[in-house]
Amino acid sequence: MAATLHSLRAPFHPSISVSPPNSHPFPAATVNFSPKLMVSKGSFVVTRKHSISARASSFQYSPTIAEALGDVSIFTAAGEPVMFKDLWDQNQGIAVVALLRHFGCPCCWELASALKESKARFDSAGVKLIAVGVGAPNKARMLAERLPFPMDCLYADPDRKAYDILNLYHGFGRTFFNPASAKVLSRFDALRKAVKNYTIEATPDDRSGVLQQGGMFVFRGKQLLYARKDEGTGDHAPLDDVFDVCCKVPVA
């Protein structure tokens, strides 16, 4: 990527390839829930009018995943170390945890832009927004200052510890050739707007980080309500689905 993406024009044409060996298999089937979906036992009931992919489910994770994640140490965008368990109320606090790709990824900037625009809606529902990206804190600050994005919601995971705990996809095929990446074409205008002040300098110094995929998670205390892995670059979780999970009244 020698050229800056500030002047991004040409569309991306993804091709189909076999996932690399270090990628994790995931069921491709869809599960239909009509008219209601129980996202996690004993938690929220979400009314849906369409089918939700089986990969958008909390059931793929251990009930203790929040505790394992809580012991992970990352950094604030200002460079201060912080434990994951200190990012939200571990009793009943509701948090949306968006694991972005690396801070130099244009699709990461696009997702961060969408999250920023949705922050007021999360705030009004009492939901804590947490965005984590791959790279050092100074890379996170580049995104925060140029996009811009609120620094108090942005965190850096240079060693990809949280990504490993959550078993998110990593590899060349997932990053560059996965068919799911075609979704970004439908959001090209939003992408172009998000990278207006983009800089490739935000790319991690450890280049293995550019092969990391992200994911979206919703927690209530230590209970995982929603989990979705990005299948490929730009394959972001629909924010409407996230709102449906975290902004509905919990079932008693």
Side-chain angles (χ1 to χ4, degrees), residues 73-75 103 132-137 155-161 163 204 206 208-209:
S73 177
I74 55 176
F75 297 92
F103 293 115
V132 182
V134 177
Y155 299 86
D157 186 3
D159 298 321
R160 297 183 283 117
K161 296 176 183 177
Y163 296 77
D206 179 358
S208 66

Side-chain angles (χ1 to χ4, degrees), residues 19-160:
S19 300
N22 60 344
S23 292
H24 310 289
F26 206 92
T30 58
V31 179
N32 294 299
F33 297 86
S34 179
K36 292 183 177 181
L37 162 71
M38 182 67 78
V39 176
S40 181
K41 184 177 181 180
S43 57
F44 292 102
V45 170
V46 181
T47 300
R48 303 300 294 156
K49 293 183 179 179
H50 57 272
S51 63
I52 295 182
S53 171
R55 58 194 169 94
S57 168
S58 64
F59 298 116
Q60 61 184 295
Y61 290 102
S62 163
T64 61
I65 186 63
E67 294 182 5
L69 185 64
D71 291 332
V72 170
S73 177
I74 55 176
F75 297 92
T76 67
E80 297 295 326
V82 61
M83 301 295 289
F84 238 99
K85 61 187 175 185
D86 295 328
L87 298 184
W88 74 91
D89 176 9
Q90 295 291 288
N91 293 318
Q92 289 296 318
I94 302 176
V96 169
V97 180
L99 279 89
L100 314 173
R101 295 191 65 242
H102 63 90
F103 293 115
C105 171
C107 292
C108 168
W109 287 51
E110 182 224 349
L111 177 56
S113 179
L115 291 171
K116 179 187 68 173
E117 292 174 358
S118 301
K119 186 176 183 301
R121 187 175 175 187
F122 284 124
D123 289 345
S124 66
V127 176
K128 179 76 177 291
L129 175 62
I130 298 164
V132 182
V134 177
N138 67 309
K139 305 294 186 179
R141 290 195 296 273
M142 291 180 189
L143 182 148
E145 294 166 1
R146 286 172 168 263
L147 190 55
F149 189 87
M151 280 187 56
D152 61 345
C153 296
L154 189 61
Y155 299 86
D157 186 3
D159 298 321
R160 297 183 283 117

